[in-house]
Amino acid sequence: MQNLNPQQIKAIRHTKSPLLVLAGAGSGKTSVIAHKISYLITKEHICPKKITAITFTNRAAKEMRERIKKTLGGSKEKPRICTFHTLGLTILRAEITLSDYRSGFSILDSNDTVGIVTELLRKEKRIGDIAPILVQYRISSWKSLFLLPEEVIVDKERPFDALCLAVYANYRETLLTYNAVDFDDLIMAPVKILSENNVAREKWQSEIEYLLVDEYQDTNAAQYKLVRTLTNGRQNMTVVGDDDQSIYGWRGADPENLNQLQKDYPTLEVIKLEQNYRSSGSILKAANALIENNPHDYPKKLWSENGFGDPLRIISASTEHDEAERIANDILHRQLLKREPNGAFAILIRSNHQGRLFERALLERNIPYTLSGGQSFFDYAEIKDCICYMRIIANPLDNNALLRILNVPRRGIGTQSVKSLVEGATKLDLSILETTENTDFLDTLSPNIAKNIGFFGRWIRSLREKSLACDPDVTLSTLLDDIGYEDWLATNAEDEKESERRNKNVQELLSWVQQLVKKDTSIDLSGVVSSLTLFDIIERQDNEKNSDSVSITTLHAAKGLEYANVYIAGFEEGIMPHRNSTTEIEIQEERRVAYVGITRAKKNLTLSYSRTRKRYGQIEPCEPSRFLEELPAEEIQWRSGNSSQTSDKKVGLETIAQLRMSLGNQK
């Protein structure tokens, strides 16, 4: 424990009562948990197998195991390090005879559950006007509160909630019929078992002699009930959390669970970890100033011995394109000037859709990047479809590409027909595309299927012939029009917003192809496909190898990570805070989201906002985030695009003044 501070050591050695460790960002909480487990084993002589530490992610569990391995050395017996859902699954499997399920039950993923909800809505004849995923979210929120259908009370004047409740009851029955559980059931089912069966409860309380819970502020009601049931008010518990980093309210997380501990565990000890080992003083000053505007039952203030460091910078960009360009240029400048590696930089965004412009800006500068917290551009189904169409037109031997788009949009070529087509190609030793026009093969099919397959083959061949005489972007545009892809996306989208998003992605791809043609007028379709594929392959290789690359990640996904240089983009009203956050409680959570983003930075922090932004085809003015007013103005450097730093500062002060006036008028 040589490198630990007094508060950390106090938290590690405290075992005589339940303990809440309020661990600020970058305060070394993982190290505390690892050392405490070692202390419990070596000093308190608790059997490792009797210790359970719960995390929220597999990544956190892996990191904790590695830390514990270092502290314990080569001990054969290991403590249980797992996620809430893994522990729930372990209990459910062990006590399956006490549950509503049978052994061999299936675990459904989100696609499966949304599919079931879709079918239930179809039976209710509501599939056209309600997005199934929204219904699934509402069901999940009830489950996170540990509410069964018969326990949910809804307002009769809110028809959406009434519909969701009706679907919830049928949804639960469907899962029981399928002998299947969803993600929420992995907490609900074990809690139900332990609450109702004294023998099982005592068994698992004995099994877990000491319980540690990481990121406790992210627990929902059901998870808190599981912790309460396993500990039963005993002294054998340490929870580590930070109410200032509770940012998952949308999935049921309740920071009030931290306050509830004092009521449920009267002898609870509270230890604060306020020394930050990550960030410079200027960054912590900004973070403290921001989060002080939220109410606190346990106030704390982060401090550091790392020195004050560089001041916070704010970039005021003219458009979202300008914002992306300026951040990409700044990264390039710092790389060249200070020789910093790509991995030292992160661009944090509020929503996934913001990432596209940054991807493009970094690609154009040959700066490798990794996109996390959302899909890569090339992972979207509509982009895969378009690229596969271009691949098969450029290379008729590309069987994999053909199989993906053979029935997209639907052409009446079913699974059995595809199977026959593949078998026929193998038998005739031809490519699948060649087989679509082979009369010997087509004669083995029904007239209607043969017609559909033959038409597809001829159409692809005609597009290939046309592509030899026109630019690649024209070919892509032509094939999209031929198949009515925009209409097909609209028909198969969950709602209008998804349809708009998917079509926007297709238009973005078309724009990329146009740019490639503009840069190289001699490039053909094969060259375009090669360029796009290379972008995709490099990106995947970087992800797989965790190589040196700039991170583009959502603020939520960045939690728990750190970077030398952090850029938080879209620091403006409607994005930060989000336009859907209107109540004071929601604004407080948005402030915590911003706080999490700020505290990811080690040395340099830059916030950026756009003065105008394109929304639904219209250029709209934007206001800087109200959170900028809450930052220490004297520690801010403004970058408005003017050459003069004095002018930048003037613009910044004027912006803040206008913001204060605007917010004052809204009150």
Side-chain angles (χ1 to χ4, degrees):
M1 299 187 191
Q2 292 180 344
N3 299 320
L4 300 175
N5 65 47
Q7 290 303 100
Q8 290 176 322
I9 294 173
K10 184 179 178 182
I12 291 166
R13 292 176 175 174
H14 183 91
T15 60
K16 303 306 180 185
S17 68
L19 175 65
L20 166 60
V21 181
L22 279 172
S27 62
K29 66 179 179 66
T30 304
S31 181
V32 168
I33 295 173
H35 277 90
K36 180 148 195 172
I37 290 174
S38 178
Y39 183 85
L40 291 169
I41 296 170
T42 58
K43 301 298 183 182
E44 297 292 327
H45 307 293
I46 298 176
C47 176
K49 294 190 297 183
K50 294 280 188 175
I51 298 172
T52 293
I54 301 176
T55 68
F56 270 84
T57 66
N58 290 322
R59 182 185 69 196
K62 182 181 178 182
E63 182 183 357
M64 196 174 295
R65 289 191 196 98
E66 291 172 350
R67 295 282 189 97
I68 292 169
K69 186 178 180 180
K70 291 179 180 178
T71 60
L72 288 178
S75 176
K76 292 183 180 180
E77 290 188 327
K78 307 292 184 187
R80 179 191 286 116
I81 314 293
C82 61
T83 65
F84 264 107
H85 294 92
T86 301
L87 178 61
L89 177 60
T90 301
I91 296 172
L92 179 57
R93 282 176 171 166
E95 312 298 339
I96 191 65
T97 58
L98 303 176
S99 76
D100 298 325
Y101 306 95
R102 304 179 298 280
S103 61
F105 60 86
S106 300
I107 302 173
L108 305 183
D109 62 20
S110 58
N111 291 329
D112 296 324
T113 57
V114 171
I116 291 172
V117 170
T118 301
E119 288 302 313
L120 293 174
L121 285 173
R122 186 172 283 113
K123 291 180 181 178
E124 296 283 341
K125 298 181 179 179
R126 299 294 301 274
I127 190 62
D129 56 349
I130 294 182
I133 195 167
L134 297 180
V135 178
Q136 200 277 331
Y137 283 161
R138 182 58 55 88
I139 292 172
S140 181
S141 70
W142 286 328
K143 285 190 168 188
S144 71
L145 294 170
F146 200 70
L147 294 173
L148 295 171
E150 57 270 23
E151 297 170 326
V152 176
I153 300 174
V154 299
D155 188 340
K156 294 181 180 180
E157 295 183 0
R158 303 184 68 175
F160 175 74
D161 285 352
L163 173 65
C164 290
L165 180 56
V167 173
Y168 182 16
N170 293 329
Y171 174 83
R172 177 169 167 77
E173 288 301 317
T174 301
L175 263 61
L176 289 171
T177 302
Y178 291 172
N179 193 33
V181 299
D182 62 17
F183 213 49
D184 297 307
D185 289 326
L186 293 177
I187 304 298
M188 284 193 72
V191 171
K192 186 173 182 291
I193 292 168
L194 299 181
S195 300
E196 297 175 352
N197 191 284
N198 293 334
V199 175
R201 182 170 62 255
E202 291 172 4
K203 168 190 168 183
W204 282 95
Q205 288 174 351
S206 174
E207 184 93 4
I208 301 176
E209 192 171 336
Y210 202 97
L211 180 67
L212 303 99
V213 185
D214 191 16
E215 303 287 4
Y216 196 73
Q217 76 281 346
D218 293 334
T219 56
N220 59 34
Q223 289 163 337
Y224 180 68
K225 193 172 181 67
L226 179 60
V227 171
R228 282 280 294 148
T229 304
L230 289 172
T231 57
N232 194 32
R234 297 178 295 167
Q235 315 303 312
N236 61 335
M237 179 184 73
T238 292
V239 302
V240 182
D242 182 6
D243 51 344
D244 292 331
Q245 296 189 75
S246 180
I247 60 174
Y248 297 110
W250 49 274
R251 68 184 190 194
D254 188 358
E256 283 300 311
N257 285 345
L258 287 170
N259 302 327
Q260 187 64 33
L261 283 169
Q262 193 77 65
K263 301 174 184 176
D264 293 333
Y265 299 85
T267 59
L268 182 76
E269 180 80 9
V270 179
I271 296 174
K272 299 178 185 179
L273 303 184
E274 297 174 290
Q275 183 176 357
N276 177 284
Y277 294 92
R278 175 187 300 154
S279 306
S280 66
S282 62
I283 293 169
L284 296 182
K285 185 176 181 179
N288 288 331
L290 176 70
I291 207 64
E292 281 175 358
N293 292 276
N294 275 4
H296 291 87
D297 289 303
Y298 303 105
K300 61 183 182 300
K301 196 167 187 175
L302 298 180
W303 61 276
S304 172
E305 295 180 345
N306 294 337
F308 195 74
D310 296 332
L312 166 66
R313 299 187 306 160
I314 297 179
I315 294 176
S316 173
S318 57
T319 67
E320 66 265 43
H321 295 273
D322 180 40
E323 180 184 38
E325 293 284 319
R326 292 177 65 180
I327 287 177
N329 285 337
D330 195 71
I331 290 173
L332 191 62
H333 174 74
R334 286 178 174 269
Q335 288 177 333
L336 295 173
L337 189 68
K338 299 188 177 183
R339 303 290 182 182
E340 291 193 81
N342 296 309
F345 298 88
I347 302 170
L348 308 186
I349 53 181
R350 181 61 179 80
S351 303
N352 292 331
H353 69 84
Q354 291 174 260
R356 192 71 54 242
L357 291 173
F358 293 102
E359 279 193 88
R360 187 169 180 174
L362 294 175
L363 280 170
E364 289 175 349
R365 290 159 179 78
N366 294 317
I367 300 174
Y369 69 89
T370 300
L371 186 71
S372 58
Q375 288 178 283
S376 165
F377 183 66
F378 301 102
D379 278 336
Y380 285 104
E382 58 271 19
I383 302 304
K384 287 180 178 289
D385 290 345
C386 292
I387 290 178
C388 283
Y389 265 114
M390 289 190 288
R391 281 167 53 186
I392 192 61
I393 294 170
N395 178 16
L397 301 178
D398 193 334
N399 287 342
N400 287 336
L402 184 140
L403 288 173
R404 177 178 177 88
I405 49 85
L406 182 59
N407 206 35
V408 177
R410 297 182 184 89
R411 300 184 172 88
I413 305 173
T415 304
Q416 189 57 48
S417 300
V418 173
K419 183 180 178 182
S420 299
L421 183 58
V422 173
E423 291 174 349
T426 304
K427 185 177 180 180
L428 295 168
D429 196 24
L430 299 172
S431 72
I432 296 177
L433 184 60
E434 289 171 324
T435 308
T436 62
E437 294 189 84
N438 184 275
T439 54
D440 291 336
F441 167 72
L442 294 176
D443 287 343
T444 65
L445 306 174
S446 69
N448 192 48
I449 298 296
K451 178 184 175 183
N452 292 339
I453 291 177
F455 177 83
F456 174 80
R458 292 190 299 274
W459 174 66
I460 291 291
R461 176 161 51 83
S462 70
L463 278 179
R464 175 169 170 77
E465 290 171 356
K466 292 176 182 177
S467 72
L468 301 175
C470 64
D471 289 334
D473 56 322
V474 176
T475 301
L476 177 58
S477 185
T478 300
L479 77 87
L480 291 172
D481 288 339
D482 283 357
I483 63 178
Y485 196 62
E486 183 176 350
D487 292 338
W488 185 77
L489 287 177
T491 303
N492 289 271
E494 289 283 349
D495 52 34
E496 188 176 348
K497 287 185 178 179
E498 185 186 3
S499 174
E500 290 177 357
R501 176 189 62 76
R502 298 183 72 182
N503 273 301
K504 186 178 179 180
N505 285 342
V506 172
Q507 292 305 310
E508 183 71 17
L509 177 65
L510 183 58
S511 176
W512 281 29
V513 175
Q514 290 169 341
Q515 288 295 321
L516 288 170
V517 173
K518 188 176 180 180
K519 288 181 180 179
D520 182 6
T521 55
S522 65
I523 195 169
D524 59 8
L525 187 64
S526 179
V528 167
V529 172
S530 297
S531 296
L532 294 173
T533 304
L534 188 61
F535 285 154
D536 191 17
I537 290 172
I538 290 173
E539 184 178 320
R540 292 178 187 280
Q541 286 177 339
D542 286 344
N543 285 338
E544 291 169 2
K545 296 177 181 179
N546 196 26
S547 63
D548 184 32
S549 59
V550 175
S551 289
I552 306 174
T553 183
T554 63
L555 286 153
H556 286 87
K559 189 168 176 288
L561 304 176
E562 59 182 41
Y563 307 89
N565 308 283
V566 168
Y567 301 82
I568 305 180
F571 219 80
E572 61 204 54
E573 293 292 307
I575 297 178
M576 179 60 67
H578 195 274
R579 64 178 62 87
N580 293 335
S581 299
T582 56
T583 68
E584 185 56 33
I585 297 296
E586 291 169 336
I587 294 298
Q588 289 171 14
E589 175 153 331
E590 288 294 292
R591 188 177 284 111
R592 293 194 294 268
V593 172
Y595 174 84
V596 166
I598 289 171
T599 54
R600 299 312 94 195
K602 298 167 69 175
K603 296 193 304 180
N604 295 290
L605 175 65
T606 303
L607 311 179
S608 68
Y609 68 91
S610 176
R611 297 191 295 274
T612 62
R613 192 172 291 270
K614 192 173 183 180
R615 295 189 179 98
Y616 306 107
Q618 301 293 320
I619 303 295
E620 298 180 359
C622 303
E623 290 186 3
S625 170
R626 69 190 72 182
F627 298 151
L628 290 178
E629 182 190 1
E630 300 172 357
L631 301 177
E634 69 277 9
E635 307 297 343
I636 294 175
Q637 286 186 355
W638 289 83
R639 296 288 185 267
S640 65
N642 301 320
S643 58
S644 168
Q645 187 169 336
T646 303
S647 178
D648 282 343
K649 187 174 182 179
K650 182 181 179 183
V651 170
L653 292 173
E654 289 175 352
T655 299
I656 292 295
Q658 291 170 2
L659 178 61
R660 285 174 174 164
M661 187 179 296
S662 173
L663 294 174
N665 292 335
Q666 293 175 15
K667 294 179 181 180

mmCIF file of all heavy atoms in Angstrom, residues 12 46 91 131 204 256 262 274 299 328 355 393 397 472 508 521 596-598 600 618 655 666:
data_model
loop_
_atom_site.group_PDB
_atom_site.id
_atom_site.type_symbol
_atom_site.label_atom_id
_atom_site.label_comp_id
_atom_site.label_asym_id
_atom_site.label_seq_id
_atom_site.Cartn_x
_atom_site.Cartn_y
_atom_site.Cartn_z
ATOM 1 N N ILE A 12 -9.711 0.749 2.466
ATOM 2 C CA ILE A 12 -9.265 -0.637 2.326
ATOM 3 C C ILE A 12 -9.374 -1.387 3.653
ATOM 4 O O ILE A 12 -9.835 -2.531 3.699
ATOM 5 C CB ILE A 12 -7.818 -0.689 1.791
ATOM 6 C CG1 ILE A 12 -7.787 -0.211 0.338
ATOM 7 C CG2 ILE A 12 -7.225 -2.088 1.913
ATOM 8 C CD1 ILE A 12 -6.392 0.090 -0.180
ATOM 9 N N ILE A 46 -10.651 -14.136 4.970
ATOM 10 C CA ILE A 46 -11.866 -14.573 4.281
ATOM 11 C C ILE A 46 -11.459 -15.403 3.070
ATOM 12 O O ILE A 46 -10.575 -15.016 2.300
ATOM 13 C CB ILE A 46 -12.729 -13.369 3.854
ATOM 14 C CG1 ILE A 46 -13.177 -12.571 5.089
ATOM 15 C CG2 ILE A 46 -13.934 -13.833 3.053
ATOM 16 C CD1 ILE A 46 -13.959 -11.315 4.756
ATOM 17 N N ILE A 91 -27.032 -17.459 -10.190
ATOM 18 C CA ILE A 91 -28.044 -17.784 -9.185
ATOM 19 C C ILE A 91 -29.244 -18.480 -9.833
ATOM 20 O O ILE A 91 -29.752 -19.481 -9.322
ATOM 21 C CB ILE A 91 -28.486 -16.518 -8.431
ATOM 22 C CG1 ILE A 91 -27.311 -15.931 -7.646
ATOM 23 C CG2 ILE A 91 -29.652 -16.822 -7.496
ATOM 24 C CD1 ILE A 91 -27.602 -14.572 -7.018
ATOM 25 N N ALA A 131 -43.559 2.681 -32.418
ATOM 26 C CA ALA A 131 -42.274 2.008 -32.611
ATOM 27 C C ALA A 131 -42.102 0.913 -31.560
ATOM 28 O O ALA A 131 -42.139 1.192 -30.358
ATOM 29 C CB ALA A 131 -41.125 3.005 -32.526
ATOM 30 N N TRP A 204 -27.182 -18.359 -0.349
ATOM 31 C CA TRP A 204 -26.387 -17.386 -1.091
ATOM 32 C C TRP A 204 -25.795 -16.312 -0.190
ATOM 33 O O TRP A 204 -24.726 -15.768 -0.485
ATOM 34 C CB TRP A 204 -27.224 -16.763 -2.211
ATOM 35 C CG TRP A 204 -27.322 -17.717 -3.368
ATOM 36 C CD1 TRP A 204 -28.323 -18.610 -3.617
ATOM 37 C CD2 TRP A 204 -26.350 -17.915 -4.368
ATOM 38 N NE1 TRP A 204 -28.036 -19.355 -4.721
ATOM 39 C CE2 TRP A 204 -26.818 -18.943 -5.211
ATOM 40 C CE3 TRP A 204 -25.118 -17.334 -4.648
ATOM 41 C CZ2 TRP A 204 -26.116 -19.400 -6.319
ATOM 42 C CZ3 TRP A 204 -24.396 -17.780 -5.751
ATOM 43 C CH2 TRP A 204 -24.897 -18.799 -6.575
ATOM 44 N N GLU A 256 -30.145 8.045 -6.368
ATOM 45 C CA GLU A 256 -30.723 8.072 -5.027
ATOM 46 C C GLU A 256 -30.430 6.788 -4.253
ATOM 47 O O GLU A 256 -30.580 6.745 -3.026
ATOM 48 C CB GLU A 256 -32.235 8.290 -5.103
ATOM 49 C CG GLU A 256 -32.633 9.731 -5.397
ATOM 50 C CD GLU A 256 -32.140 10.683 -4.332
ATOM 51 O OE1 GLU A 256 -32.358 10.407 -3.130
ATOM 52 O OE2 GLU A 256 -31.520 11.700 -4.679
ATOM 53 N N GLN A 262 -27.921 4.962 3.504
ATOM 54 C CA GLN A 262 -27.880 5.474 4.871
ATOM 55 C C GLN A 262 -29.118 5.040 5.654
ATOM 56 O O GLN A 262 -29.033 4.774 6.857
ATOM 57 C CB GLN A 262 -27.764 6.997 4.850
ATOM 58 C CG GLN A 262 -27.399 7.617 6.186
ATOM 59 C CD GLN A 262 -25.926 7.478 6.528
ATOM 60 O OE1 GLN A 262 -25.078 8.018 5.861
ATOM 61 N NE2 GLN A 262 -25.637 6.731 7.595
ATOM 62 N N GLU A 274 -11.071 12.165 -2.874
ATOM 63 C CA GLU A 274 -11.127 13.422 -3.606
ATOM 64 C C GLU A 274 -9.836 13.743 -4.355
ATOM 65 O O GLU A 274 -9.826 14.644 -5.195
ATOM 66 C CB GLU A 274 -11.476 14.566 -2.655
ATOM 67 C CG GLU A 274 -12.859 14.433 -2.018
ATOM 68 C CD GLU A 274 -13.156 15.482 -0.968
ATOM 69 O OE1 GLU A 274 -12.530 15.397 0.111
ATOM 70 O OE2 GLU A 274 -13.993 16.364 -1.210
ATOM 71 N N PRO A 299 -21.272 16.365 -0.653
ATOM 72 C CA PRO A 299 -20.435 17.229 -1.501
ATOM 73 C C PRO A 299 -18.959 16.843 -1.409
ATOM 74 O O PRO A 299 -18.474 16.420 -0.368
ATOM 75 C CB PRO A 299 -20.679 18.627 -0.912
ATOM 76 C CG PRO A 299 -21.129 18.378 0.493
ATOM 77 C CD PRO A 299 -21.897 17.098 0.460
ATOM 78 N N ALA A 328 -10.059 18.481 -36.247
ATOM 79 C CA ALA A 328 -9.124 17.595 -36.957
ATOM 80 C C ALA A 328 -7.801 18.311 -37.219
ATOM 81 O O ALA A 328 -6.719 17.725 -37.064
ATOM 82 C CB ALA A 328 -9.750 17.115 -38.266
ATOM 83 N N GLY A 355 -20.700 11.767 -35.067
ATOM 84 C CA GLY A 355 -19.406 11.179 -35.402
ATOM 85 C C GLY A 355 -19.062 11.163 -36.874
ATOM 86 O O GLY A 355 -17.882 11.124 -37.249
ATOM 87 N N ILE A 393 -21.190 -5.420 -58.991
ATOM 88 C CA ILE A 393 -21.154 -4.794 -60.312
ATOM 89 C C ILE A 393 -19.714 -4.695 -60.806
ATOM 90 O O ILE A 393 -19.422 -4.955 -61.976
ATOM 91 C CB ILE A 393 -21.822 -3.400 -60.276
ATOM 92 C CG1 ILE A 393 -23.320 -3.546 -59.998
ATOM 93 C CG2 ILE A 393 -21.611 -2.658 -61.592
ATOM 94 C CD1 ILE A 393 -24.012 -2.221 -59.710
ATOM 95 N N LEU A 397 -17.565 -12.037 -59.762
ATOM 96 C CA LEU A 397 -17.183 -13.266 -59.069
ATOM 97 C C LEU A 397 -17.333 -13.161 -57.558
ATOM 98 O O LEU A 397 -17.064 -14.133 -56.840
ATOM 99 C CB LEU A 397 -15.735 -13.638 -59.418
ATOM 100 C CG LEU A 397 -15.439 -13.871 -60.903
ATOM 101 C CD1 LEU A 397 -13.964 -14.188 -61.104
ATOM 102 C CD2 LEU A 397 -16.295 -15.011 -61.459
ATOM 103 N N PRO A 472 -18.539 6.426 -61.306
ATOM 104 C CA PRO A 472 -19.037 5.534 -60.250
ATOM 105 C C PRO A 472 -20.212 6.103 -59.461
ATOM 106 O O PRO A 472 -21.122 5.345 -59.079
ATOM 107 C CB PRO A 472 -17.806 5.344 -59.361
ATOM 108 C CG PRO A 472 -16.638 5.558 -60.265
ATOM 109 C CD PRO A 472 -17.073 6.608 -61.230
ATOM 110 N N GLU A 508 -24.737 10.258 -47.591
ATOM 111 C CA GLU A 508 -23.365 10.521 -47.164
ATOM 112 C C GLU A 508 -22.386 9.649 -47.941
ATOM 113 O O GLU A 508 -21.336 10.111 -48.385
ATOM 114 C CB GLU A 508 -23.228 10.259 -45.663
ATOM 115 C CG GLU A 508 -21.853 10.565 -45.087
ATOM 116 C CD GLU A 508 -21.544 12.034 -45.010
ATOM 117 O OE1 GLU A 508 -22.464 12.847 -45.096
ATOM 118 O OE2 GLU A 508 -20.364 12.370 -44.877
ATOM 119 N N THR A 521 -10.392 11.950 -61.377
ATOM 120 C CA THR A 521 -11.389 11.816 -62.439
ATOM 121 C C THR A 521 -11.246 10.516 -63.225
ATOM 122 O O THR A 521 -12.159 10.118 -63.948
ATOM 123 C CB THR A 521 -11.291 13.003 -63.419
ATOM 124 O OG1 THR A 521 -9.947 13.093 -63.923
ATOM 125 C CG2 THR A 521 -11.682 14.308 -62.713
ATOM 126 N N VAL A 596 -18.598 14.163 -16.657
ATOM 127 C CA VAL A 596 -17.885 12.934 -17.014
ATOM 128 C C VAL A 596 -16.952 13.189 -18.189
ATOM 129 O O VAL A 596 -15.795 12.750 -18.200
ATOM 130 C CB VAL A 596 -18.875 11.793 -17.336
ATOM 131 C CG1 VAL A 596 -18.160 10.629 -18.036
ATOM 132 C CG2 VAL A 596 -19.549 11.300 -16.071
ATOM 133 N N GLY A 597 -17.446 13.909 -19.195
ATOM 134 C CA GLY A 597 -16.610 14.212 -20.358
ATOM 135 C C GLY A 597 -15.390 15.038 -19.985
ATOM 136 O O GLY A 597 -14.261 14.749 -20.400
ATOM 137 N N ILE A 598 -15.594 16.077 -19.184
ATOM 138 C CA ILE A 598 -14.500 16.961 -18.771
ATOM 139 C C ILE A 598 -13.426 16.187 -18.012
ATOM 140 O O ILE A 598 -12.227 16.375 -18.232
ATOM 141 C CB ILE A 598 -15.044 18.132 -17.925
ATOM 142 C CG1 ILE A 598 -15.844 19.093 -18.818
ATOM 143 C CG2 ILE A 598 -13.917 18.871 -17.212
ATOM 144 C CD1 ILE A 598 -16.598 20.156 -18.052
ATOM 145 N N ARG A 600 -12.489 13.209 -18.286
ATOM 146 C CA ARG A 600 -11.728 12.213 -19.059
ATOM 147 C C ARG A 600 -10.356 12.770 -19.443
ATOM 148 O O ARG A 600 -9.443 12.013 -19.763
ATOM 149 C CB ARG A 600 -12.463 11.831 -20.356
ATOM 150 C CG ARG A 600 -13.848 11.188 -20.239
ATOM 151 C CD ARG A 600 -13.879 10.052 -19.244
ATOM 152 N NE ARG A 600 -14.300 10.569 -17.959
ATOM 153 C CZ ARG A 600 -14.154 9.907 -16.807
ATOM 154 N NH1 ARG A 600 -13.525 8.750 -16.814
ATOM 155 N NH2 ARG A 600 -14.575 10.392 -15.651
ATOM 156 N N GLN A 618 -32.515 22.362 -43.146
ATOM 157 C CA GLN A 618 -32.533 23.801 -42.904
ATOM 158 C C GLN A 618 -31.350 24.230 -42.038
ATOM 159 O O GLN A 618 -30.966 23.511 -41.113
ATOM 160 C CB GLN A 618 -33.837 24.213 -42.195
ATOM 161 C CG GLN A 618 -35.109 23.870 -42.963
ATOM 162 C CD GLN A 618 -35.250 24.663 -44.254
ATOM 163 O OE1 GLN A 618 -34.930 25.857 -44.301
ATOM 164 N NE2 GLN A 618 -35.723 24.004 -45.310
ATOM 165 N N THR A 655 -20.430 36.288 -25.784
ATOM 166 C CA THR A 655 -21.251 35.090 -25.896
ATOM 167 C C THR A 655 -21.851 34.706 -24.550
ATOM 168 O O THR A 655 -23.040 34.410 -24.435
ATOM 169 C CB THR A 655 -20.421 33.917 -26.438
ATOM 170 O OG1 THR A 655 -19.934 34.245 -27.737
ATOM 171 C CG2 THR A 655 -21.271 32.649 -26.540
ATOM 172 N N GLN A 666 -35.707 33.269 -19.985
ATOM 173 C CA GLN A 666 -36.478 32.031 -20.003
ATOM 174 C C GLN A 666 -37.069 31.700 -18.645
ATOM 175 O O GLN A 666 -38.000 30.915 -18.531
ATOM 176 C CB GLN A 666 -35.599 30.865 -20.493
ATOM 177 C CG GLN A 666 -35.197 30.987 -21.945
ATOM 178 C CD GLN A 666 -34.232 29.871 -22.371
ATOM 179 O OE1 GLN A 666 -34.072 28.869 -21.680
ATOM 180 N NE2 GLN A 666 -33.603 30.041 -23.520
#
